[in-house]
């Protein structure tokens, strides 16, 4: 099969921290040599695409900003489409708030005035934030999460992600989010199709996570490739109802998929 485009995850697939995953740069070059157009899609909401150009470039991946989007990009788009005039109460990292400000979205710290609650990864998340979220959601305002990743790869070992914060809030409020963005949401799929305007059967999705990367590929009708270089091991794969089309140890083995 000849492929025209590839959605490529970032953390756990091409880098861990700021270091390239062994074999992955060669696999990325192989995709480019095969004429496959790359699109890096990360569920990290804290950094805008230009930051990824620098980070990926330093790790050996040549990429332009229009070839990258993140859960922050997806969330910003969703909010502009559905809550453009809302005052957003955000439990989130400063980098996400910067993206909202650049997009012209309004944020507030006033629990009683907020029109919607946005929850995301926040290294300073604490009991007071849980109180804030509980009191805001008592008013039945929309509850939006940036991405579902409960655990994310980090340089030394895995750490909690946005999903951990979102789930904690959902538990105390006894209410599920109205929307969780990032992969594999409908908004993320729309953005993939806009950036890779090829038939679904000509597109790959390569990632280390079954419930986000591979689920997005399945929902979009694309060929899915799971790499074992991130958070998913064989036990996870055996226990999952999500079945990737291909399983490889790392991106450097992409020759097994791409002719």
């Amino acid at each position: 099969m000849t492929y025209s485009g590839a959605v490529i995850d970032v953390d756990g697939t091409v880098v861990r921290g700021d270091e390239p995953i062994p074999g992955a740069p060669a696999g990325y070059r192989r995709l480019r040599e095969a004429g496959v157009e790359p699109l890096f899609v990360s569920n990290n909401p804290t950094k805008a695409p230009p930051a990824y150009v620098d980070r990926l470039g330093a790790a050996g991946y040549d990429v332009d900003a229009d070839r990258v989007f993140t859960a922050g990009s997806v969330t910003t788009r969703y909010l502009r489409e559905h809550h453009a005039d809302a005052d957003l109460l955000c439990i989130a990292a400063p980098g996400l708030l910067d993206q909202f400000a650049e997009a012209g979205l309004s944020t507030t710290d006033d629990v009683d005035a907020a029109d919607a609650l946005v929850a995301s990864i926040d290294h300073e998340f604490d009991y007071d934030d849980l109180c804030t979220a509980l009191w805001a959601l008592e008013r039945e305002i929309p509850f939006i999460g940036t991405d579902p990743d409960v655990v994310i790869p980090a340089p030394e070992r895995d750490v909690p992600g946005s999903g951990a914060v979102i789930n904690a809030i959902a538990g105390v409020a006894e209410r599920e989010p109205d929307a969780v963005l990032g992969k594999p949401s409908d908004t993320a799929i729309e953005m993939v199709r806009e950036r890779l305007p090829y038939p679904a059967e000509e597109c790959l999705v390569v990632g280390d996570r079954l419930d986000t990367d591979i689920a997005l590929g399945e929902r979009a009708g694309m060929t899915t490739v799971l790499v074992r270089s991130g958070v998913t091991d064989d036990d996870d794969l055996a226990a999952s109802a999500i079945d990737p089309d291909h399983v490889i140890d790392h991106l450097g083995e992409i020759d097994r998929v791409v002719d």
Side-chain angles (χ1 to χ4, degrees):
M1 177 68 192
T2 299
Y3 294 99
S4 301
V7 177
I8 307 171
D9 177 51
V10 177
D11 294 289
T13 300
V14 298
V15 293
R16 179 174 280 272
D18 291 326
E19 296 299 317
I21 287 174
Y28 178 65
R29 290 193 295 272
R30 177 69 185 92
L31 287 171
R32 299 302 301 270
E33 290 165 0
V36 178
E37 184 176 351
L39 178 63
F40 286 97
V41 182
S42 170
N43 260 7
N44 182 343
T46 65
K47 293 180 174 62
Y52 274 85
V53 173
D54 296 337
R55 180 183 176 203
L56 291 169
Y61 304 95
D62 182 23
V63 61
D64 296 325
D66 64 351
R67 296 288 88 203
V68 181
F69 72 81
T70 71
S73 313
V74 179
T75 303
T76 298
R77 172 168 171 158
Y78 177 88
L79 292 169
R80 291 185 69 176
E81 290 178 348
H82 298 279
H83 301 285
D85 298 323
D87 285 330
L88 306 169
L89 180 65
C90 301
I91 297 175
L96 183 63
L97 300 181
D98 291 343
Q99 294 173 66
F100 290 170
E102 186 173 344
L105 295 167
S106 176
T107 59
T108 181
D109 294 326
D110 189 339
V111 171
D112 297 315
D115 300 309
L117 173 70
V118 180
S120 182
I121 187 171
D122 182 355
H123 293 173
E124 297 182 357
F125 179 68
D126 61 15
Y127 185 83
D128 288 341
D129 290 318
L130 274 179
C131 293
T132 296
L134 174 63
W135 299 331
L137 293 178
E138 284 176 344
R139 298 174 42 241
E140 299 297 325
I141 61 174
F143 173 19
I144 298 144
T146 57
D147 64 277
D149 291 15
V150 174
V151 173
I152 55 176
E156 299 300 325
R157 58 200 307 175
D158 296 343
V159 296
S162 297
V165 174
I166 295 164
N167 290 348
I169 292 171
V172 75
E174 298 184 324
R175 173 184 166 185
E176 292 301 310
D178 297 286
V180 178
L181 285 310
K183 298 173 288 188
S185 70
D186 290 342
T187 306
I189 292 172
E190 288 171 9
M191 293 178 70
V192 165
R193 287 174 170 156
E194 290 169 3
R195 307 280 184 102
L196 293 178
Y198 307 111
E201 60 269 20
E202 294 182 17
C203 294
L204 296 168
V205 178
V206 186
D208 70 312
R209 191 182 294 270
L210 291 162
D211 59 348
T212 58
D213 304 311
I214 306 307
L216 179 142
E218 282 191 355
R219 294 186 63 202
M222 299 175 178
T223 299
T224 56
V225 184
L226 178 76
V227 292
R228 292 192 182 95
S229 53
V231 300
T232 300
D233 59 23
D234 287 339
D235 290 340
D236 298 325
L237 183 59
S240 175
I242 300 171
D243 187 20
D245 297 307
H246 303 274
V247 180
I248 58 180
D249 285 336
H250 52 75
L251 187 61
E253 296 182 349
I254 200 65
D255 268 338
R256 292 170 48 187
V257 180
V258 176
D259 296 331

